Amino acid sequence: MTHSARLAKSCLAGWEIYIVTDSPSPGDWPEHSFDRVSSVPTLAERTAALTLLGYEAVDGAKWEWHELDDDETGPVRFLGVLDVRRIPSGDDR
């Protein structure tokens, strides 16, 4: 089963990565904060964060960037999206 990893810059905590799961409550989604507001986390940092959360990129998946604009005059925010799956445990291999 695949899920969507999202990389976003929150208003309060800075950059964070979270996994959109089947849970209807975003509060239940696994997440990791990078504890900084400047500089986008590197690919290596994002990969390490996903591993900490127990996920890995789906074969061939690449980060895609989406522009989020609330209106034509407001600031633009970017959202990184990557297809991921749970890292198989020893029993799943």
Side-chain angles (χ1 to χ4, degrees), residues 9 14 26 31 44 47 58 62-64 66-67 74 78 85 92:
K9 187 175 181 182
E31 63 182 49
T47 300
V58 171
K62 301 238 185 240
W63 284 95
E64 295 179 17
H66 300 271
E67 186 175 304
F78 291 95
R85 64 177 167 234
D92 297 333

Side-chain angles (χ1 to χ4, degrees), residues 31-68:
E31 63 182 49
H32 172 80
S33 175
F34 293 96
D35 295 323
R36 69 175 186 254
V37 290
S38 62
S39 70
V40 177
T42 66
L43 181 57
E45 290 174 313
R46 288 178 259 157
T47 300
L50 287 171
T51 300
L52 285 172
L53 295 173
Y55 290 83
E56 63 186 4
V58 171
D59 293 337
K62 301 238 185 240
W63 284 95
E64 295 179 17
W65 293 93
H66 300 271
E67 186 175 304
L68 308 173

Side-chain angles (χ1 to χ4, degrees), residues 1-86:
M1 170 179 275
T2 62
H3 299 285
S4 179
R6 308 272 173 94
L7 178 70
K9 187 175 181 182
S10 73
C11 297
L12 302 174
W15 287 102
E16 62 185 10
I17 195 167
Y18 57 93
I19 310 297
V20 179
T21 65
D22 297 333
S23 174
S25 173
D28 293 336
W29 296 345
E31 63 182 49
H32 172 80
S33 175
F34 293 96
D35 295 323
R36 69 175 186 254
V37 290
S38 62
S39 70
V40 177
T42 66
L43 181 57
E45 290 174 313
R46 288 178 259 157
T47 300
L50 287 171
T51 300
L52 285 172
L53 295 173
Y55 290 83
E56 63 186 4
V58 171
D59 293 337
K62 301 238 185 240
W63 284 95
E64 295 179 17
W65 293 93
H66 300 271
E67 186 175 304
L68 308 173
D69 53 345
D70 297 327
D71 62 51
E72 292 184 18
T73 60
V76 174
R77 296 176 295 125
F78 291 95
L79 176 72
V81 179
L82 178 71
D83 288 335
V84 296
R85 64 177 167 234
R86 298 269 310 143

